[in-house]
Amino acid sequence: MSAVKKRVTASVALLCSATAVVLTGCSSLSSAEERRSESGGRAATRQASPEAPRLFDLRSLISPKKKYFGAAVEGAPSSMAPVAKYGQMVGKKPNLLEYYAAWGDGFNTQGVRNAWAEGALTVLSWEPADTPIADIADGKSDAYVKEFAEAARKLNIPIVISFADEMNGHWEKWGTKHVKPEDYVRAWKRVHDVFADAGAGNVIWAWSPNIVNPVRNVDIADYYPGDGYVDWVGMVGYFTTFEPNTFDGVFGLTIKKIRTFTDKPLLILETAAEPGERRLTSVRSLLEGVKGHDDIVGFVWFDYRKRSDWRLSVSPLALAEFKRLAADDTFGFDVRKP
């Protein structure tokens, strides 16, 4: 959504512990060579190494029985105090926490560990604002990506990575004004392959376009790296005064387009509703829409004040409706026991 651009970055030291883990049942499991030789469909499965202390099966996190109840709140997951405050406000603790990192930042080991300890999965929105996508595709960032991947592997905890989201928008430095679709796809595959070659199989990969409504002339299929490289399709879309005030009006056209080239599970990676008289109805449309779509695994509410005030706290009536609907048992679960 072009009116929304909100980026919060935090450089974090590369502090790592634990040993490597190998997972089964998702795109990140096939080795680079296996992926290069596969003809299509789901990626090949990497076998657990003898030294791996435990085996995560990411399939239960990729396609959970319940819906993710997510939030992006300032300071989290490096600190869980804002998460506790948010959970008290909405009546339920989030189990999906999104944070933002610039290209060059270190892996937030402690933050991912903090979230997992409280039953939440971390989503990293990784933003290569100051590095050309073509350079990443050509391997010029391989050393950095490998260091990042090794930190993720050593942590031995599942994490979601959304690399260069909203690539179909002209407002991003890695968007349509600056990057060719083929270079974006090469960069995505390059990053994914470096993680696979490092043994970082604990990653759920979320390919995350903006909703197509404001950029209908861009074919998002051109930017799709293929099912062997993606676990979730993470849509970014907001309820605004210039979008229809219904779930289908905001997300319907994008879902229809996505379903022409992949059947991967959907996540609403970022969403919120502009404050004002329509916000209560928007909140209702969002939660009822997510609940009503079996192929949508959950959503993340962007609870920041960035260009607009997306925080639920500024709209008491909408907050009350959000809290009422979020109380449904469909939303939220302990990610350690999916």
Side-chain angles (χ1 to χ4, degrees), residues 7 108 152 154 177 195 202 207 227 247 288 303 310:
R7 289 315 180 208
N108 191 348
K154 291 176 182 178
K177 280 187 177 180
F195 270 75
N202 51 321
W207 176 78
D227 280 0
F247 185 88
E288 289 181 348
D303 205 61
W310 307 103

Side-chain angles (χ1 to χ4, degrees), residues 36-105:
R36 294 177 189 121
S37 64
E38 68 179 350
S39 58
R42 297 187 66 83
T45 300
R46 182 192 294 270
Q47 297 299 315
S49 60
E51 68 275 11
R54 57 179 171 165
L55 187 70
F56 287 114
D57 187 343
L58 289 186
R59 287 173 296 184
S60 59
L61 292 174
I62 293 170
S63 299
K65 296 177 181 178
K66 296 184 179 182
K67 307 280 188 180
Y68 285 101
F69 180 67
V73 293
E74 195 162 5
S78 294
S79 170
M80 295 299 286
V83 179
K85 183 178 180 180
Y86 180 89
Q88 290 174 352
M89 178 179 69
V90 301
K92 180 173 288 186
K93 185 168 63 175
N95 69 338
L96 193 63
L97 298 176
E98 184 169 9
Y99 83 98
Y100 306 91
W103 198 252
D105 284 357

Side-chain angles (χ1 to χ4, degrees), residues 21 30 34 40 60 75 80 86 90 93 96 112 162-163 174 203 227 234 253 257 266-267 292 304 330 337:
V21 64
S30 60
E34 286 169 333
S60 59
M80 295 299 286
Y86 180 89
V90 301
K93 185 168 63 175
L96 193 63
V112 175
S162 175
F163 169 72
W174 54 88
V203 177
D227 280 0
L253 188 61
K257 178 60 182 178
L266 306 175
L267 171 75
Y304 277 83
T330 300
K337 304 173 183 177

Side-chain angles (χ1 to χ4, degrees), residues 318-338:
L319 171 58
E321 182 70 351
F322 187 95
K323 186 174 181 178
R324 181 183 73 83
L325 294 169
D328 192 303
D329 190 54
T330 300
F331 296 105
F333 58 93
D334 189 331
V335 298
R336 298 165 300 182
K337 304 173 183 177

Side-chain angles (χ1 to χ4, degrees), residues 25-251:
C26 70
S27 71
S28 56
L29 307 188
S30 60
S31 68
E33 285 303 317
E34 286 169 333
R35 278 194 312 281
R36 294 177 189 121
S37 64
E38 68 179 350
S39 58
R42 297 187 66 83
T45 300
R46 182 192 294 270
Q47 297 299 315
S49 60
E51 68 275 11
R54 57 179 171 165
L55 187 70
F56 287 114
D57 187 343
L58 289 186
R59 287 173 296 184
S60 59
L61 292 174
I62 293 170
S63 299
K65 296 177 181 178
K66 296 184 179 182
K67 307 280 188 180
Y68 285 101
F69 180 67
V73 293
E74 195 162 5
S78 294
S79 170
M80 295 299 286
V83 179
K85 183 178 180 180
Y86 180 89
Q88 290 174 352
M89 178 179 69
V90 301
K92 180 173 288 186
K93 185 168 63 175
N95 69 338
L96 193 63
L97 298 176
E98 184 169 9
Y99 83 98
Y100 306 91
W103 198 252
D105 284 357
F107 180 70
N108 191 348
T109 300
Q110 189 58 54
V112 175
R113 186 184 289 119
N114 291 344
W116 188 259
E118 298 194 21
L121 186 63
T122 302
V123 180
L124 163 62
S125 182
W126 205 2
E127 303 176 327
D130 299 320
T131 301
I133 286 290
D135 284 356
I136 297 173
D138 290 340
K140 295 180 181 179
S141 291
D142 279 6
Y144 165 61
V145 178
K146 182 178 179 181
E147 184 179 21
F148 204 98
E150 289 177 345
R153 175 186 60 81
K154 291 176 182 178
L155 182 58
N156 195 26
I157 291 174
I159 183 174
V160 182
I161 292 181
S162 175
F163 169 72
D165 66 356
E166 300 180 65
M167 77 300 293
N168 58 317
H170 53 78
W171 50 89
E172 298 288 16
K173 290 185 178 179
W174 54 88
T176 55
K177 280 187 177 180
H178 310 282
V179 176
K180 297 177 181 179
E182 56 267 30
D183 284 338
Y184 180 88
V185 170
R186 286 197 306 119
W188 178 282
K189 290 182 176 181
R190 186 87 185 198
V191 171
H192 189 289
D193 284 352
V194 172
F195 270 75
D197 290 340
N202 51 321
V203 177
I204 295 171
W205 293 92
W207 176 78
S208 308
N210 194 83
I211 55 173
V212 301
N213 299 20
V215 284
R216 299 191 187 197
N217 61 320
V218 179
D219 189 352
I220 57 174
D222 292 342
Y223 293 83
Y224 188 63
D227 280 0
Y229 289 85
V230 173
D231 298 303
W232 286 340
V233 174
M235 299 178 290
V236 177
Y238 288 71
F239 290 80
T240 67
T241 55
F242 52 85
E243 292 286 0
N245 201 31
T246 64
F247 185 88
D248 188 62
V250 176
F251 296 104

